[in-house]
Short mmCIF file of all heavy atoms in Angstrom, two decimals:
data_model
loop_
_atom_site.label_atom_id
_atom_site.label_comp_id
_atom_site.label_asym_id
_atom_site.label_seq_id
_atom_site.Cartn_x
_atom_site.Cartn_y
_atom_site.Cartn_z
N MET A 1 90.46 115.70 93.56
CA MET A 1 90.68 114.43 94.12
C MET A 1 91.97 114.40 94.91
O MET A 1 92.98 114.99 94.56
CB MET A 1 90.77 113.36 93.00
CG MET A 1 90.99 111.93 93.53
SD MET A 1 91.24 110.75 92.21
CE MET A 1 89.61 110.03 92.28
N PHE A 2 91.92 113.79 96.11
CA PHE A 2 93.03 113.89 97.07
C PHE A 2 94.30 113.34 96.49
O PHE A 2 95.36 113.97 96.64
CB PHE A 2 92.64 113.13 98.36
CG PHE A 2 93.77 113.04 99.32
CD1 PHE A 2 94.13 114.09 100.08
CD2 PHE A 2 94.44 111.83 99.44
CE1 PHE A 2 95.20 114.01 100.96
CE2 PHE A 2 95.47 111.74 100.37
CZ PHE A 2 95.83 112.79 101.18
N LEU A 3 94.23 112.17 95.85
CA LEU A 3 95.46 111.60 95.36
C LEU A 3 96.13 112.37 94.23
O LEU A 3 97.37 112.44 94.17
CB LEU A 3 95.23 110.15 94.78
CG LEU A 3 94.91 109.10 95.86
CD1 LEU A 3 94.58 107.73 95.18
CD2 LEU A 3 96.06 108.86 96.76
N GLN A 4 95.36 113.08 93.43
CA GLN A 4 95.90 113.84 92.34
C GLN A 4 96.55 115.14 92.91
O GLN A 4 97.47 115.61 92.29
CB GLN A 4 94.83 114.21 91.34
CG GLN A 4 94.31 113.04 90.60
CD GLN A 4 93.13 113.39 89.64
OE1 GLN A 4 92.53 114.42 89.86
NE2 GLN A 4 92.91 112.60 88.66
N GLU A 5 96.11 115.59 94.00
CA GLU A 5 96.62 116.83 94.58
C GLU A 5 97.90 116.68 95.35
O GLU A 5 98.73 117.58 95.41
CB GLU A 5 95.54 117.49 95.37
CG GLU A 5 94.35 117.93 94.59
CD GLU A 5 93.28 118.51 95.45
OE1 GLU A 5 93.42 118.56 96.68
OE2 GLU A 5 92.25 118.90 94.92
N SER A 6 98.12 115.49 95.99
CA SER A 6 99.20 115.44 96.94
C SER A 6 100.05 114.16 96.84
O SER A 6 101.00 114.02 97.62
CB SER A 6 98.68 115.51 98.36
OG SER A 6 97.80 114.46 98.67
N ARG A 7 99.67 113.22 95.99
CA ARG A 7 100.41 111.96 95.98
C ARG A 7 100.80 111.55 94.52
O ARG A 7 100.07 111.86 93.60
CB ARG A 7 99.62 110.82 96.57
CG ARG A 7 99.17 111.03 97.99
CD ARG A 7 100.17 110.49 98.95
NE ARG A 7 99.66 110.39 100.28
CZ ARG A 7 99.98 111.25 101.25
NH1 ARG A 7 100.83 112.18 100.97
NH2 ARG A 7 99.50 111.07 102.44
N SER A 8 101.86 110.87 94.46
CA SER A 8 102.22 110.19 93.18
C SER A 8 102.30 108.72 93.46
O SER A 8 102.59 108.26 94.55
CB SER A 8 103.58 110.65 92.72
OG SER A 8 103.56 112.01 92.43
N PHE A 9 101.91 107.87 92.52
CA PHE A 9 102.07 106.43 92.70
C PHE A 9 102.29 105.76 91.38
O PHE A 9 102.00 106.31 90.31
CB PHE A 9 100.81 105.85 93.37
CG PHE A 9 99.53 105.97 92.62
CD1 PHE A 9 99.04 104.95 91.81
CD2 PHE A 9 98.77 107.12 92.72
CE1 PHE A 9 97.86 105.11 91.09
CE2 PHE A 9 97.53 107.25 92.06
CZ PHE A 9 97.12 106.18 91.25
N ILE A 10 102.87 104.58 91.43
CA ILE A 10 103.15 103.79 90.26
C ILE A 10 102.23 102.57 90.33
O ILE A 10 102.14 101.90 91.31
CB ILE A 10 104.59 103.31 90.19
CG1 ILE A 10 105.50 104.54 90.14
CG2 ILE A 10 104.84 102.34 89.09
CD1 ILE A 10 107.00 104.17 90.31
N PHE A 11 101.54 102.35 89.21
CA PHE A 11 100.58 101.23 89.09
C PHE A 11 101.05 100.33 88.00
O PHE A 11 101.23 100.76 86.86
CB PHE A 11 99.16 101.79 88.82
CG PHE A 11 98.13 100.80 88.96
CD1 PHE A 11 97.49 100.65 90.22
CD2 PHE A 11 97.67 100.04 87.94
CE1 PHE A 11 96.46 99.73 90.37
CE2 PHE A 11 96.64 99.15 88.09
CZ PHE A 11 96.04 99.01 89.27
N VAL A 12 101.30 99.09 88.33
CA VAL A 12 101.86 98.13 87.33
C VAL A 12 100.84 97.04 87.12
O VAL A 12 100.34 96.43 88.03
CB VAL A 12 103.16 97.51 87.87
CG1 VAL A 12 103.78 96.54 86.83
CG2 VAL A 12 104.22 98.60 88.18
N THR A 13 100.64 96.75 85.78
CA THR A 13 99.67 95.66 85.43
C THR A 13 100.23 94.91 84.26
O THR A 13 100.99 95.48 83.43
CB THR A 13 98.27 96.23 85.19
OG1 THR A 13 97.42 95.12 84.83
CG2 THR A 13 98.31 97.24 84.06
N ASN A 14 99.88 93.65 84.11
CA ASN A 14 100.32 92.88 82.99
C ASN A 14 99.20 92.82 81.91
O ASN A 14 99.35 92.10 80.96
CB ASN A 14 100.81 91.45 83.37
CG ASN A 14 99.67 90.66 84.06
OD1 ASN A 14 98.63 91.26 84.43
ND2 ASN A 14 99.92 89.40 84.18
N ARG A 15 98.09 93.52 82.10
CA ARG A 15 97.02 93.52 81.14
C ARG A 15 96.83 94.93 80.63
O ARG A 15 96.94 95.93 81.37
CB ARG A 15 95.71 93.07 81.77
CG ARG A 15 95.72 91.61 82.15
CD ARG A 15 94.34 91.29 82.62
NE ARG A 15 94.32 89.92 83.08
CZ ARG A 15 93.48 89.01 82.55
NH1 ARG A 15 92.72 89.35 81.56
NH2 ARG A 15 93.55 87.76 83.01
N PRO A 16 96.55 95.07 79.37
CA PRO A 16 96.26 96.44 78.85
C PRO A 16 94.98 96.97 79.51
O PRO A 16 94.05 96.23 79.85
CB PRO A 16 96.02 96.19 77.34
CG PRO A 16 96.53 94.89 77.02
CD PRO A 16 96.56 94.12 78.30
N LEU A 17 94.92 98.25 79.70
CA LEU A 17 93.73 98.85 80.35
C LEU A 17 92.46 98.62 79.57
O LEU A 17 91.42 98.52 80.16
CB LEU A 17 93.98 100.33 80.54
CG LEU A 17 95.09 100.76 81.52
CD1 LEU A 17 95.20 102.27 81.60
CD2 LEU A 17 94.83 100.19 82.91
N SER A 18 92.57 98.45 78.26
CA SER A 18 91.43 98.17 77.45
C SER A 18 90.80 96.79 77.76
O SER A 18 89.58 96.58 77.44
CB SER A 18 91.76 98.23 75.98
OG SER A 18 92.76 97.25 75.65
N GLU A 19 91.50 95.87 78.35
CA GLU A 19 90.95 94.57 78.72
C GLU A 19 90.33 94.47 80.04
O GLU A 19 89.74 93.47 80.39
CB GLU A 19 92.10 93.51 78.63
CG GLU A 19 92.58 93.18 77.25
CD GLU A 19 93.66 92.13 77.23
OE1 GLU A 19 93.88 91.50 78.30
OE2 GLU A 19 94.27 91.94 76.17
N TRP A 20 90.45 95.52 80.80
CA TRP A 20 89.94 95.49 82.21
C TRP A 20 88.47 95.27 82.28
O TRP A 20 87.98 94.68 83.26
CB TRP A 20 90.33 96.72 82.98
CG TRP A 20 91.84 96.72 83.37
CD1 TRP A 20 92.81 96.02 82.85
CD2 TRP A 20 92.38 97.45 84.46
NE1 TRP A 20 93.94 96.24 83.55
CE2 TRP A 20 93.71 97.16 84.54
CE3 TRP A 20 91.83 98.38 85.36
CZ2 TRP A 20 94.55 97.71 85.47
CZ3 TRP A 20 92.66 98.92 86.28
CH2 TRP A 20 94.01 98.62 86.34
N ASP A 21 87.72 95.75 81.33
CA ASP A 21 86.24 95.58 81.37
C ASP A 21 85.83 94.13 81.17
O ASP A 21 84.69 93.78 81.58
CB ASP A 21 85.57 96.47 80.29
CG ASP A 21 85.78 97.93 80.57
OD1 ASP A 21 86.18 98.34 81.67
OD2 ASP A 21 85.59 98.71 79.65
N SER A 22 86.69 93.31 80.68
CA SER A 22 86.30 91.90 80.39
C SER A 22 87.10 90.90 81.23
O SER A 22 87.34 89.77 80.86
CB SER A 22 86.51 91.56 78.93
OG SER A 22 87.89 91.72 78.56
N MET A 23 87.54 91.29 82.46
CA MET A 23 88.36 90.39 83.25
C MET A 23 87.59 89.48 84.17
O MET A 23 88.12 88.75 84.99
CB MET A 23 89.34 91.31 84.21
CG MET A 23 90.40 91.92 83.43
SD MET A 23 91.73 92.65 84.46
CE MET A 23 90.95 93.03 85.99
N GLY A 24 86.28 89.49 84.05
CA GLY A 24 85.49 88.60 84.90
C GLY A 24 84.92 89.26 86.15
O GLY A 24 84.34 88.63 86.95
N VAL A 25 85.14 90.56 86.29
CA VAL A 25 84.63 91.27 87.38
C VAL A 25 83.46 92.15 86.89
O VAL A 25 83.29 92.23 85.64
CB VAL A 25 85.62 92.17 88.14
CG1 VAL A 25 86.67 91.25 88.79
CG2 VAL A 25 86.29 93.12 87.22
N ASP A 26 82.81 92.86 87.72
CA ASP A 26 81.74 93.76 87.28
C ASP A 26 82.30 94.77 86.28
O ASP A 26 83.21 95.53 86.62
CB ASP A 26 81.17 94.51 88.48
CG ASP A 26 80.08 95.52 88.13
OD1 ASP A 26 79.34 95.25 87.16
OD2 ASP A 26 79.93 96.48 88.85
N PRO A 27 81.86 94.81 85.01
CA PRO A 27 82.35 95.70 84.00
C PRO A 27 82.23 97.22 84.37
O PRO A 27 83.15 97.97 84.11
CB PRO A 27 81.54 95.45 82.75
CG PRO A 27 80.92 94.09 83.01
CD PRO A 27 80.81 93.93 84.45
N HIS A 28 81.17 97.57 85.06
CA HIS A 28 81.05 98.95 85.45
C HIS A 28 82.08 99.32 86.53
O HIS A 28 82.66 100.43 86.37
CB HIS A 28 79.65 99.24 86.02
CG HIS A 28 79.42 100.63 86.53
ND1 HIS A 28 79.32 101.66 85.76
CD2 HIS A 28 79.33 101.08 87.85
CE1 HIS A 28 79.18 102.78 86.42
NE2 HIS A 28 79.21 102.44 87.73
N THR A 29 82.36 98.50 87.48
CA THR A 29 83.37 98.76 88.49
C THR A 29 84.75 98.85 87.86
O THR A 29 85.51 99.73 88.15
CB THR A 29 83.33 97.65 89.56
OG1 THR A 29 82.02 97.63 90.15
CG2 THR A 29 84.35 97.96 90.64
N ALA A 30 85.08 97.94 86.97
CA ALA A 30 86.38 97.91 86.30
C ALA A 30 86.52 99.17 85.44
O ALA A 30 87.60 99.81 85.49
CB ALA A 30 86.53 96.67 85.43
N SER A 31 85.53 99.54 84.74
CA SER A 31 85.55 100.74 83.90
C SER A 31 85.74 102.03 84.72
O SER A 31 86.55 102.87 84.42
CB SER A 31 84.31 100.88 83.06
OG SER A 31 84.31 102.03 82.31
N THR A 32 85.02 102.13 85.83
CA THR A 32 85.11 103.29 86.73
C THR A 32 86.52 103.38 87.33
O THR A 32 87.12 104.42 87.36
CB THR A 32 84.08 103.23 87.85
OG1 THR A 32 82.78 103.22 87.21
CG2 THR A 32 84.17 104.42 88.76
N PHE A 33 87.03 102.25 87.80
CA PHE A 33 88.37 102.25 88.39
C PHE A 33 89.43 102.60 87.36
O PHE A 33 90.29 103.42 87.64
CB PHE A 33 88.65 100.85 88.94
CG PHE A 33 89.97 100.71 89.60
CD1 PHE A 33 90.20 101.37 90.84
CD2 PHE A 33 91.01 99.94 89.06
CE1 PHE A 33 91.47 101.24 91.44
CE2 PHE A 33 92.25 99.86 89.71
CZ PHE A 33 92.43 100.50 90.89
N ARG A 34 89.34 102.05 86.12
CA ARG A 34 90.27 102.39 85.07
C ARG A 34 90.26 103.92 84.78
O ARG A 34 91.32 104.50 84.62
CB ARG A 34 89.90 101.59 83.87
CG ARG A 34 90.83 101.87 82.65
CD ARG A 34 90.49 100.99 81.49
NE ARG A 34 89.08 100.85 81.15
CZ ARG A 34 88.40 101.72 80.36
NH1 ARG A 34 89.04 102.69 79.77
NH2 ARG A 34 87.12 101.55 80.11
N GLN A 35 89.06 104.45 84.68
CA GLN A 35 88.99 105.86 84.40
C GLN A 35 89.53 106.74 85.45
O GLN A 35 90.22 107.72 85.22
CB GLN A 35 87.46 106.26 84.18
CG GLN A 35 86.89 105.73 82.86
CD GLN A 35 85.39 105.97 82.79
OE1 GLN A 35 84.80 106.51 83.74
NE2 GLN A 35 84.80 105.51 81.67
N ARG A 36 89.33 106.35 86.74
CA ARG A 36 89.80 107.15 87.87
C ARG A 36 91.38 107.09 87.98
O ARG A 36 91.96 108.11 88.33
CB ARG A 36 89.19 106.76 89.14
CG ARG A 36 87.68 107.14 89.14
CD ARG A 36 87.06 107.13 90.46
NE ARG A 36 85.69 107.54 90.32
CZ ARG A 36 84.81 107.45 91.29
NH1 ARG A 36 85.17 106.96 92.46
NH2 ARG A 36 83.57 107.84 91.05
N ILE A 37 91.95 105.93 87.76
CA ILE A 37 93.39 105.86 87.86
C ILE A 37 94.15 106.46 86.70
O ILE A 37 95.28 106.87 86.84
CB ILE A 37 93.90 104.46 88.17
CG1 ILE A 37 93.64 103.51 87.00
CG2 ILE A 37 93.31 103.89 89.46
CD1 ILE A 37 94.43 102.21 87.03
N SER A 38 93.44 106.54 85.58
CA SER A 38 94.09 107.06 84.40
C SER A 38 93.84 108.54 84.12
O SER A 38 94.43 109.19 83.29
CB SER A 38 93.73 106.27 83.13
OG SER A 38 92.35 106.38 82.86
N SER A 39 92.91 109.15 84.94
CA SER A 39 92.60 110.57 84.82
C SER A 39 93.80 111.39 85.25
O SER A 39 94.28 111.29 86.44
CB SER A 39 91.41 110.95 85.65
OG SER A 39 91.22 112.29 85.67
N GLY A 40 94.38 112.17 84.39
CA GLY A 40 95.53 112.98 84.68
C GLY A 40 96.82 112.22 84.81
O GLY A 40 97.78 112.66 85.37
N ALA A 41 96.82 110.95 84.31
CA ALA A 41 98.03 110.09 84.47
C ALA A 41 98.94 110.14 83.25
O ALA A 41 98.50 110.51 82.21
CB ALA A 41 97.55 108.65 84.71
N GLN A 42 100.16 109.76 83.52
CA GLN A 42 101.11 109.59 82.46
C GLN A 42 101.28 108.08 82.32
O GLN A 42 101.79 107.44 83.23
CB GLN A 42 102.45 110.25 82.76
CG GLN A 42 103.45 110.07 81.67
CD GLN A 42 104.77 110.78 81.91
OE1 GLN A 42 104.96 111.35 82.94
NE2 GLN A 42 105.69 110.67 81.01
N ILE A 43 100.84 107.53 81.23
CA ILE A 43 100.87 106.07 81.04
C ILE A 43 102.06 105.71 80.14
O ILE A 43 102.24 106.28 79.08
CB ILE A 43 99.59 105.60 80.29
CG1 ILE A 43 98.43 105.84 81.27
CG2 ILE A 43 99.64 104.07 80.08
CD1 ILE A 43 97.02 105.55 80.69
N ILE A 44 102.91 104.83 80.63
CA ILE A 44 104.15 104.43 79.97
C ILE A 44 104.01 102.89 79.67
O ILE A 44 103.80 102.08 80.58
CB ILE A 44 105.36 104.67 80.79
CG1 ILE A 44 105.48 106.13 81.12
CG2 ILE A 44 106.63 104.13 80.09
CD1 ILE A 44 106.52 106.51 82.13
N HIS A 45 104.08 102.50 78.41
CA HIS A 45 103.94 101.13 78.01
C HIS A 45 105.41 100.61 77.89
O HIS A 45 106.23 101.12 77.12
CB HIS A 45 103.23 100.95 76.68
CG HIS A 45 101.84 101.45 76.69
ND1 HIS A 45 100.81 100.60 77.16
CD2 HIS A 45 101.26 102.60 76.39
CE1 HIS A 45 99.71 101.29 77.16
NE2 HIS A 45 99.97 102.52 76.64
N LEU A 46 105.71 99.51 78.55
CA LEU A 46 107.01 98.83 78.50
C LEU A 46 106.84 97.51 77.73
O LEU A 46 105.97 96.79 77.99
CB LEU A 46 107.57 98.58 79.89
CG LEU A 46 107.69 99.74 80.81
CD1 LEU A 46 108.07 99.33 82.17
CD2 LEU A 46 108.68 100.73 80.24
N GLY A 47 107.74 97.28 76.85
CA GLY A 47 107.74 96.03 76.13
C GLY A 47 107.04 95.97 74.87
O GLY A 47 106.38 96.62 74.25
#
């Protein structure tokens, strides 16, 4: 994947990733997006 090979980014959200499937959007799209951004990621929980 292009982003994993050459870019770093910070993604900030106020909801736990486990709640993304029930946010009122298409559950499949939310699940796919969550899986792709968290693949090979370092997740840091603040608070």
Side-chain angles (χ1 to χ4, degrees):
M1 180 182 256
F2 174 75
L3 289 176
Q4 291 177 339
E5 295 175 359
S6 63
R7 301 270 192 256
S8 296
F9 63 95
I10 297 172
F11 193 88
V12 180
T13 180
N14 62 347
R15 292 184 184 242
L17 295 178
S18 60
E19 289 183 10
W20 281 25
D21 295 344
S22 61
M23 287 192 334
V25 296
D26 179 32
H28 176 71
T29 302
S31 176
T32 302
F33 183 70
R34 179 177 46 88
Q35 289 173 357
R36 291 197 179 169
I37 66 166
S38 62
S39 173
Q42 180 178 2
I43 300 174
I44 300 171
H45 297 277
L46 303 174

